[in-house]
Amino acid sequence: AQTVTQSQPEMSVQEAETVTLSCTYDTSESDYYLFWYKQPPSRQMILVIRQEAYKQQNATENRFSVNFQKAAKSFSLKISDSQLGDAAMYFCAYQPYNNNDMRFGAGTRLTVKP
Amino acid sequence: DTAVSQTPKYLVTQMENDKSIKCEQNLGHDTMYWYKQDSKKFLKIMFSYNNKELIINETVPNRFSPKSPDKAHLNLHINSLELGDSAVYFCASSRQGFETQYFGPGTRLLVL
């Protein structure tokens, strides 16, 4: 069974600084997708970034980037130049290729200090 | 334009009542989902529909029944509500079953 582990229940970062959120996953598949979703207090689930396992290049979206280590089954999210609006719960998710059974981690609550 | 919408946003009801939550997507996606997020924020998939056919049915009590009148709608009907059903329910959709999922705003259900 695929599981997703986020070992940091809470993280804190100073505004304008950089923070990295950790995620590891367990799978026997070679093809899959990984995601980071953001859930602000409004409860909306917002896609932050997506990574295809067959791509070696790490995905980036503006201030958000990932460090994808396939052999280590690690998928961390780096947020650069943190902003107050980045404060939210962040969920790491795994989805097998050609299968819509997406599994979420327990989430990391990020606080951004002004 | 709202891509994935849910109604109602909040639902407070008594135990043993029957209630429905509606979901609509205007993205032209083929697959829709229902997730449950419990009080500890843990998010778990409940159902998935692809072209009106049920694909996933996790170990969800049969009091929960998804209904898809067409490709753009996936409603969740809950019979005989229990206290443990209190949670936030999210609808989502994707173009194909294995593509990126887009979530609705969630429905907070409180069973008293």
Side-chain angles (χ1 to χ4, degrees), chain B residues 7 18 54 59-60 68 88 97:
Chain B
T7 54
D18 302 338
L54 183 65
T59 54
V60 173
S68 180
V88 180

Side-chain angles (χ1 to χ4, degrees), chain B residues 50-64:
Chain B
N50 186 318
N51 289 326
K52 299 171 67 174
E53 290 186 34
L54 183 65
I55 297 176
I56 296 175
N57 184 349
E58 293 285 312
T59 54
V60 173
N62 57 14
R63 298 181 295 103
F64 291 79

